[in-house]
Amino acid sequence: MGTYLDGLIETRTAGGAWKAEVDLLGFDLWKARYARECLFGYGGSLGVERPLFDQRGWPEDACEEVPKECDELNHSHSYATWAEIAAVDWDAPLCDGPDGNRLGEWRPGPDGELVLEDVVRAPVDVLDAAEELFGEDLFPSEWPPGGQVRLNGSVYRPVVLTAGMFVPPDGRWAPVWASMRELAAGYGNENVRLVVWFG
């Protein structure tokens, strides 16, 4: 069955108490494996070294709807305020070097310049072409500096993973950020918080 992400957006009232505002289940995020690893350090197979909000636990002052125990259905809690999320550099590296199994796939954009189209597990035909080009069988992280493979209209290059690659501004998490931004306009950036857990 796998593990699902659950959670809510809460706001802090003038009296200092937090209250639930929006249930994350309504955003249809499903398992969101890679996003949850980049954001909260749980699951996935990317090997992210520095998740943005790495399993912080639940806030001590969280609203009553946040389960404050760890069991099979509620574990690996984390949280972040809108102030923290709004300040994220989505292009900052989450690892110290290029990924060993994935490549960036670049294609020409409207102006002809290469644009990152996707981050993919290294296709066999690309690895075969790389072996022929570089003279040995190498993981993408071992390719020589500046090494790239051109194949079928795409250019493949090693990549250092970033959150923006798996949580793009216009992706599945965009409605969550929009909801938090809207609430922050009324409550303030520090008074809007995302709390998540897994099960």
Side-chain angles (χ1 to χ4, degrees), residues 5-8 24 40 76-79 173 194-198:
L5 178 149
D6 200 351
L8 52 81
L24 274 192
F40 310 113
S76 306
H77 296 64
S78 196
Y79 63 92
W173 280 80
L194 173 67
V195 184
V196 302
W197 56 93
F198 301 89

Side-chain angles (χ1 to χ4, degrees), residues 1-4 31 73 199:
M1 285 180 55
T3 300
Y4 286 81
K31 296 183 182 180
L73 296 177

